[in-house]
Amino acid sequence: MSWLRIVLALALSAAPQTVVAVQRQLVAIPAYWGPDTSDGRERFARLAQNVPTLELVVVNGSQRKAQAPAHPAWTEAIGRIRATGALPLGYVDTGYLGATGHTTRQGATTMAAWSAQIKADLDEWFDLYDGVAGVFLDQTPATCGADDLYVDAYAEISDYISDNHPNAYIVINPGVSVPQCYERIATTILTFEHTYASYLSFTPPAWELNHPNPRKFWHLVYDAPDEAAMNDAVARSKANNAGFVYVTDDKLIFDPTRPGDPNAALGFPWDTLPGYWHAELVRVAGITDTRRPDPPDGLRGATRSGTTASRVDLAWNNPYDNVATVSYEVFRDGVSLGHTYDNRLRVNGLDPATAYRFRVRATDAAGNVGDLSTSLKITTPAAAASAIADASACVTAADARYEATYLDEVDHYRVFIDADLDATTGLDGADYMIENNRLMKHAGPGWTWQQQPGTPLASSDDGRRLWRVPLADLGGSATQKVTFNGGPPETYTQAITTTTC
């Protein structure tokens, strides 16, 4: 990518000086939130539009490791980031190799135990998620160690990564400046992770400040309260020879009942995007951005009808911009439907068997608005006869699985389960009910249910819902009669007898 080779000569009098000619600076972000919520998906969708200025995205599972087993939300988020040309990195905790008393998940503190866990964790990222481009090795020591003990251990891990996952991008995070012994260990070293107030007095050591490759270094600055502070932090990072930077107004929050305890954090500054995110992309790019983004191409749509209305799922390709595209405006028959951060949009409430025309235009981080895309004509299908389609129910030796496609948006997604095949028990024979993501047991009389432990909803994608429930939670019955229900408007399927999965 030619934009990676743009060279800028930096000379900032308000911050520590460097005479090194650096490449265009880029953003690298620790995205420590889950893509399995609507807010989390939206933030990852935003990042997928923010190239070329955004380059590295650290993805972290809910257990500070790869989300396992493979989760479709993480697969999608990682794949979308990678498809744009940015590099998703899997988070791996290295626990300072036990030097500070950090324990592995098995409670060990030895270097050998930590090394084994690190290798297993990084292998898991690559095994579960094809889109992962490298790893982010967190909590690494900032000293070489006696007789290079620590740096040699990380060199061995780095060699393991290179041997088993060729071309993987490797980042280590000591969070502070390190001796030059670490230069050969990683592609990039995160050498500052602290507050904006601390950054005001930070000066890198000479080997970092004068290094010929600024992308060897990454600075993370949090608690920068406003856009002026962000601008200053980015300017200082350029002068500090950091090829990657991320600045946020988010804060590190500690438990006030545990003063002085470094493990008492209640909130981390990497779980959202800053309020000045778009301005930061422009500031990091370091250019006067007057170029408008290209018109989006590849506009396409998939239709689906419910019983009362149709919908269209629109998608389009990311248009080129010299800094970063940040949002899109979608038009239906010449009328704006509003803006979205994503390059896809679901348009609900359309009339069945009706023709519509859609167009899209992009806005970049500097506020430049591009031209409209070419027009896409879509004719919605006729209304569906039933709101629930393709219902099925089956059992394994361990669990029952209930699956159906709900064509309408409804308030309550229900599965009624006759577990004893006795129509005189339960509510009209239903001994159990799944309602949205709760398992209920009939406690009679009438509509009286008692919630059971567990969360049976395994996945929900595009109206297709799959529930998994351990047979033990259903009284052990492998033969059941199952009815799916949605509403309002109320729709029931015919009873289905379970089969073997």
Side-chain angles (χ1 to χ4, degrees):
M1 293 176 285
S2 62
W3 52 266
L4 287 175
R5 295 304 181 194
I6 297 175
V7 177
L8 300 177
L10 298 178
L12 298 177
S13 58
Q17 296 298 300
T18 176
V19 297
V20 179
V22 303
Q23 300 162 308
R24 171 170 158 177
Q25 193 180 43
L26 300 172
V27 173
I29 180 172
Y32 289 3
W33 61 77
D36 54 343
T37 66
S38 58
D39 287 345
R41 282 192 297 274
E42 181 185 79
R43 286 195 290 270
F44 274 108
R46 292 179 68 175
L47 297 182
Q49 316 308 315
N50 296 158
V51 295
T53 300
L54 180 68
E55 173 74 1
L56 304 179
V57 179
V58 179
V59 181
N60 196 352
S62 60
Q63 302 298 317
R64 291 170 61 86
K65 59 189 289 290
Q67 193 72 13
H71 193 291
W74 268 263
T75 299
E76 180 187 31
I78 291 168
R80 292 192 67 187
I81 295 295
R82 186 67 182 272
T84 67
L87 304 179
L89 309 179
Y91 176 94
V92 176
D93 183 10
T94 72
Y96 304 102
L97 295 179
T100 58
H102 283 64
T103 62
T104 65
R105 288 187 292 275
Q106 288 71 41
T109 60
T110 66
M111 186 178 294
W114 268 107
S115 180
Q117 177 174 292
I118 290 165
K119 292 173 182 177
D121 284 359
L122 65 90
D123 284 342
E124 190 170 42
W125 275 111
F126 288 101
D127 291 343
L128 294 179
Y129 301 102
D130 290 339
V132 168
V135 291
F136 177 85
L137 303 178
D138 196 21
Q139 301 198 120
T140 62
T143 63
C144 305
D147 298 323
D148 285 342
L149 176 67
Y150 297 135
V151 73
D152 285 348
Y154 281 97
E156 193 272 332
I157 293 169
S158 180
D159 289 343
Y160 177 88
I161 297 171
S162 298
D163 290 343
N164 291 275
H165 310 286
N167 303 315
Y169 199 107
I170 303 172
V171 176
I172 61 173
N173 179 26
V176 296
S177 293
V178 292
Q180 198 164 359
C181 62
Y182 278 98
E183 181 180 16
R184 61 190 173 94
I185 302 303
T187 319
T188 295
I189 307 171
L190 204 164
T191 57
F192 183 91
E193 182 182 358
H194 215 281
T195 63
Y196 169 67
S198 297
Y199 203 51
L200 295 178
S201 59
F202 172 74
T203 302
W207 85 270
E208 294 181 19
L209 192 61
N210 298 304
H211 198 281
N213 178 18
R215 294 194 188 145
K216 179 62 70 174
F217 309 109
W218 174 10
H219 292 173
L220 289 178
V221 183
Y222 59 89
D223 200 7
D226 51 33
E227 188 171 331
M230 178 275 293
N231 288 339
D232 180 53
V234 172
R236 290 174 181 274
S237 72
K238 292 176 186 288
N240 284 333
N241 202 32
F244 295 102
V245 67
Y246 175 63
V247 184
T248 181
D249 52 8
D250 208 355
K251 300 180 180 181
L252 182 62
I253 302 173
F254 286 100
D255 185 344
T257 67
R258 298 162 63 186
D261 183 352
N263 298 314
L266 296 176
F268 293 90
W270 321 125
D271 57 3
T272 189
L273 291 172
Y276 42 67
W277 174 239
H278 296 170
E280 181 172 345
L281 291 168
V282 175
R283 179 65 61 167
V284 171
I287 61 177
T288 300
D289 183 13
T290 59
R291 186 192 188 281
R292 298 191 299 165
D294 288 349
D297 63 8
L299 180 60
R300 54 203 179 273
T303 61
R304 195 175 81 182
S305 280
T307 57
T308 59
S310 296
R311 80 174 194 217
V312 172
D313 290 321
L314 296 172
W316 52 91
N317 300 332
N318 291 13
Y320 173 78
D321 186 74
N322 59 333
V323 173
T325 299
V326 295
S327 67
Y328 304 92
E329 187 174 15
V330 180
F331 294 83
R332 183 186 69 205
D333 295 334
V335 178
S336 175
L337 299 178
H339 292 79
T340 175
Y341 290 126
D342 201 352
N343 63 333
R344 58 181 72 175
L345 180 70
R346 174 167 292 174
V347 183
N348 291 306
L350 301 176
D351 294 330
T354 302
Y356 296 92
R357 290 189 177 274
F358 296 93
R359 300 181 80 180
V360 182
R361 66 183 179 188
T363 300
D364 69 14
N368 300 306
V369 180
D371 290 333
L372 284 164
S373 68
T374 56
S375 176
L376 172 68
K377 180 182 177 181
I378 292 181
T379 300
T380 56
S386 173
I388 303 175
D390 302 323
S392 65
C394 67
V395 296
T396 69
D399 62 23
R401 302 176 186 180
Y402 314 110
E403 192 169 7
T405 297
Y406 288 76
L407 300 177
D408 291 332
E409 299 285 341
V410 299
D411 296 327
H412 303 295
Y413 301 87
R414 297 190 179 108
V415 183
F416 293 99
I417 305 163
D418 180 354
D420 60 9
L421 304 183
D422 185 345
T424 66
T425 62
L427 178 67
D428 298 329
D431 309 294
Y432 297 90
M433 173 185 69
I434 298 172
E435 184 176 74
N436 296 337
N437 198 23
R438 299 179 300 166
L439 176 64
M440 318 289 286
K441 184 175 182 180
H442 190 256
W447 190 268
T448 305
W449 302 91
Q450 182 177 5
Q451 185 170 347
Q452 304 298 293
T455 53
L457 182 59
S459 64
S460 175
D461 181 40
D462 194 28
R464 186 71 178 171
R465 302 177 77 88
L466 167 64
W467 293 272
R468 294 173 184 249
V469 182
L471 286 180
D473 293 348
L474 300 168
S477 173
T479 303
Q480 310 162 5
K481 286 189 175 180
V482 179
T483 302
F484 293 81
N485 163 242
E490 292 292 334
T491 301
Y492 294 85
T493 65
Q494 295 293 319
I496 300 170
T497 301
T498 52
T499 61
T500 301
C501 296

